[in-house]
Amino acid sequence: MQKHMASVIHETGDPEVFQFEEIELLEPDSDEVLLRHTAIGVNYLDTYYRSGLYPIDLPAILGDEAVGIIKKTGNDVVDFKIGDRVAYPACKGGGYAEVRVINSKQIVPVPESISDETVAASLLRGMTVEYLVNRLYQIKSGDTILVHAAAGGVGLILCQWAKHLGATVIGTVSTESKVTIAKEHGCDFPIVYTKVDFVEEVKKITEGKMIDVVYDGIGKKTFMDSLDCLRPRGLMVSFGNASGKPDPLDVLELSKKGSLFITRPTLFEYARKYSELLAGAKAYFDMLEQDIIKIKIGKRFPLKAAAEAHLYLQDRNQIGSPILLP
Ligand SMILES: NC(=O)c1ccc[n+]([C@@H]2O[C@H](COP(=O)([O-])OP(=O)(O)OC[C@H]3O[C@@H](n4cnc5c(N)ncnc54)[C@H](OP(=O)(O)O)[C@@H]3O)[C@@H](O)[C@H]2O)c1
């Protein structure tokens, strides 16, 4: 049995729980491929599993997103061959490893013009934005939206895509240093929400009309105030928990605040069918190839430094998404 290296957790907790160890390499089943990773994504989602916020079976290899080269294929795999360069954006776990086995219906081909590092830093986030702006709600010219953590990984992509579709983009950032980068990526009105009340700022910017859609990946700290930014019948998209999960909501609040809509979506649900996974990836890659969306890679870490990569992602002073290089 061949061995390979992976960053593994045996318990949940702070980033120190990662251990770099040798694990057994499985043979691909008939519908699977064996992939040698070339770059691996590090997402906020991974921190939820590591910390124990989301339940997980242990020991575990985290990481839902990576890019690599196919080294072996199972007998029934027809869409891919050895040597193909492919990526996956939404496979639960197994990413923080040199090599992995994965079902062929979870991988997508990668255009030659897009680098491994760009794919690893952004495919999951980019495909998330694709469903947020095209399918969950179709952003159109004239819409005004609020993007929390506008200078974060998802935030920078969301600002660029929504701006391209004609929306006015209001965004929140924690520091003055993030204002410029948010503006450079399509955010018309960055609000430093650590210094001012963002609901009051939204009122001023929109002259009281308020917001059509709020995209909230912060959770606990912003959830209730985000509802107060919406116009009557506006849409609250709660899609993450960077500050912890939101407190329970009394549904009557939605009627009191103006017949609001609320949803708590995941990429996994919006890429459930293989046709959706392929279409979402293609739509995102098209945006990169047309230079409509630019990706800011943060820091490159060796695979064994998964703990440092998590600390970097959770450090609010950093800008750009970290990646792991095997
Ligand atoms: N549902 C889905 O389909 C889906 C898919 C992908 C990602 N997500 C969610 O999207 C969000 C962004 O993910 P990402 O990987 O791109 O991360 P990220 O935006 O690069 O980092 C998270 C950001 O959250 C902000 N933040 C606010 N309060 C925080 C706190 N207490 N601790 C840490 N950060 C805090 C920080 O920006 P400021 O310092 O400027 O506030 C930070 O940059 C996450 O909530 C993630 O779970 C959801």
Side-chain angles (χ1 to χ4, degrees):
M1 184 79 71
Q2 257 187 305
K3 304 270 188 181
H4 70 284
M5 299 304 289
S7 277
V8 183
I9 61 167
H10 293 266
E11 57 184 322
T12 56
D14 289 335
E16 305 85 75
V17 293
F18 282 109
Q19 293 182 23
F20 195 52
E21 34 187 79
E22 209 175 44
I23 60 168
E24 282 183 1
L25 178 58
L26 302 171
E27 282 298 311
D29 237 330
S30 57
D31 55 352
E32 293 178 331
V33 303
L34 189 145
L35 200 56
R36 176 162 289 282
H37 289 149
T38 49
I40 300 157
V42 180
N43 288 280
Y44 233 87
L45 177 65
D46 309 346
T47 71
Y48 305 150
Y49 286 117
R50 191 214 69 228
S51 70
L53 178 68
Y54 287 179
I56 190 169
D57 291 334
L58 297 168
I61 301 174
L62 303 183
D64 295 5
E65 168 188 47
V67 56
I69 303 290
I70 294 178
K71 292 293 172 186
K72 277 187 194 172
T73 58
N75 289 336
D76 297 339
V77 175
V78 288
D79 297 333
F80 297 98
K81 58 182 189 319
I82 291 171
D84 282 354
R85 183 166 160 260
V86 298
Y88 58 91
C91 176
K92 286 196 175 145
Y96 293 4
E98 289 174 325
V99 174
R100 77 163 307 153
V101 162
I102 187 165
N103 191 289
S104 65
K105 297 294 183 210
Q106 290 184 293
I107 56 176
V108 298
V110 178
E112 222 172 287
S113 62
I114 305 172
S115 74
D116 289 353
E117 294 196 349
T118 297
V119 174
S122 73
L123 183 59
L124 189 157
R125 295 177 175 96
M127 286 182 62
T128 297
V129 173
E130 186 281 325
Y131 83 74
L132 289 177
V133 302
N134 283 342
R135 291 187 286 140
L136 184 153
Y137 175 88
Q138 240 177 342
I139 289 191
K140 56 196 178 312
S141 181
D143 282 346
T144 303
I145 66 164
L146 175 63
V147 177
H148 284 303
V154 171
L156 289 176
I157 301 174
L158 185 45
C159 290
Q160 293 175 87
W161 205 322
K163 186 77 195 156
H164 170 71
L165 293 173
T168 298
V169 182
I170 303 176
T172 59
V173 295
S174 61
T175 61
E176 291 291 344
S177 60
K178 292 183 178 177
V179 166
T180 312
I181 182 125
K183 274 192 177 159
E184 285 168 357
H185 289 76
C187 181
D188 300 294
F189 300 99
I191 300 169
V192 183
Y193 61 168
T194 45
K195 296 222 173 103
V196 292
D197 178 340
F198 69 84
V199 182
E200 284 307 313
E201 289 303 304
V202 164
K203 233 178 246 168
K204 276 189 224 158
I205 294 165
T206 62
E207 296 172 343
K209 291 193 192 81
M210 310 309 275
I211 297 290
D212 296 295
V213 189
V214 176
Y215 293 102
D216 187 346
I218 306 297
K220 192 173 180 67
K221 289 255 170 71
T222 48
F223 182 85
M224 285 310 288
D225 288 341
S226 291
L227 296 178
D228 289 331
C229 294
L230 286 165
R231 63 156 166 82
R233 291 190 272 159
L235 173 63
M236 167 72 173
V237 184
S238 171
F239 70 100
N241 333 283
S243 68
K245 72 176 176 187
D247 292 330
L249 173 71
D250 175 355
V251 174
L252 278 186
E253 287 299 312
L254 300 178
S255 78
K256 277 193 221 154
K257 291 179 189 292
S259 298
L260 302 181
F261 292 84
I262 185 163
T263 181
R264 200 335 180 164
T266 66
L267 174 61
F268 295 101
E269 208 50 62
Y270 279 80
R272 188 171 276 283
K273 293 185 199 147
Y274 189 51
S275 55
E276 291 172 329
L277 186 78
L278 285 173
K282 184 172 179 327
Y284 174 59
F285 287 145
D286 284 351
M287 299 299 278
L288 290 179
E289 286 193 303
Q290 290 170 54
D291 235 13
I292 293 165
I293 289 175
K294 293 190 176 52
I295 294 305
K296 185 141 184 59
I297 297 170
K299 199 168 166 186
R300 294 143 179 94
F301 294 89
L303 175 57
K304 66 177 179 209
E308 286 79 359
H310 274 221
L311 287 169
Y312 180 94
L313 181 63
Q314 294 187 274
D315 176 355
R316 295 175 71 179
N317 292 310
Q318 304 294 348
I319 296 174
S321 300
I323 54 172
L324 295 171
L325 298 175

